[in-house]
Amino acid sequence: MAEPITERDHEQVRRLHAEGKSRNAIARAIGRSAATVSKIAGLEGLTFTGGARVAAATEARRADAAARRELLADESLDGALRQVERVGGADSACDARNHATAARALTEVHARVSELARQTGIGSTGGSMIDRLADALLGPAGGDRKGD
């Protein structure tokens, strides 16, 4: 059963709110749930107006993730191309097969990351010749795994 809300809880919420702390930061500081902090804030007539900051931080995180996906797509494609180059110089059929398998896996990563960018509208449009080639070889986003 939850502890009853005390006057000390009210005082701590008022003080930390006045310092500009977020609801979650206050909850962590006083060892209470965010719901309890919201309840106390409501009783005290306090509001949390971090919405604009949160939206800006969320958008920045989204843009960073898009840039990281684009980097992953580029590095995957570069790795696939290096593996394809190694197939011809392989010492054995087993090595050649391993390089080809690695190239396929990296191409699938590239295709899936590019598809995610297309679906979300964030990052690369994935309309390059290599993307179209990967789609033709593997099917959209790396192919249908059920059919493999």
Side-chain angles (χ1 to χ4, degrees), residues 47-110:
T47 60
F48 296 97
T49 57
R53 285 191 319 258
V54 170
T58 300
E59 185 54 38
R61 175 119 171 90
R62 226 178 248 134
D64 180 58
R68 290 171 43 207
R69 278 193 302 272
E70 192 130 357
L71 180 62
L72 175 61
D74 288 347
E75 288 179 357
S76 298
L77 187 58
D78 290 345
L81 293 171
R82 283 191 302 274
Q83 291 298 321
V84 168
E85 289 170 359
R86 291 178 181 166
V87 169
D91 293 333
S92 68
C94 181
D95 286 347
R97 186 174 51 251
N98 289 340
H99 290 303
T101 300
R104 177 186 168 97
L106 289 163
T107 303
E108 287 180 5
V109 168
H110 176 265

Side-chain angles (χ1 to χ4, degrees), residues 62-63 65-74 77 110-131:
R62 226 178 248 134
R68 290 171 43 207
R69 278 193 302 272
E70 192 130 357
L71 180 62
L72 175 61
D74 288 347
L77 187 58
H110 176 265
R112 289 178 184 182
V113 171
S114 296
E115 180 61 22
L116 178 61
R118 282 192 288 263
Q119 288 173 354
T120 62
I122 298 171
S124 157
T125 59
S128 73
M129 178 187 72
I130 298 297
D131 288 332

Side-chain angles (χ1 to χ4, degrees), residues 1-14 30-44:
M1 183 171 184
E3 287 183 40
I5 296 172
T6 66
E7 182 55 37
R8 184 166 194 274
D9 293 327
H10 281 264
E11 289 170 12
Q12 289 179 311
V13 169
R14 283 192 303 267
I30 69 172
R32 295 296 218 143
S33 71
T36 298
V37 171
S38 290
K39 183 175 183 177
I40 294 169
L43 293 170
E44 295 289 333

Side-chain angles (χ1 to χ4, degrees), residues 15 24 28 40 45 60 100 123 134 136 141 145:
R15 179 178 53 80
N24 290 340
R28 283 189 298 274
I40 294 169
R145 300 308 268 172

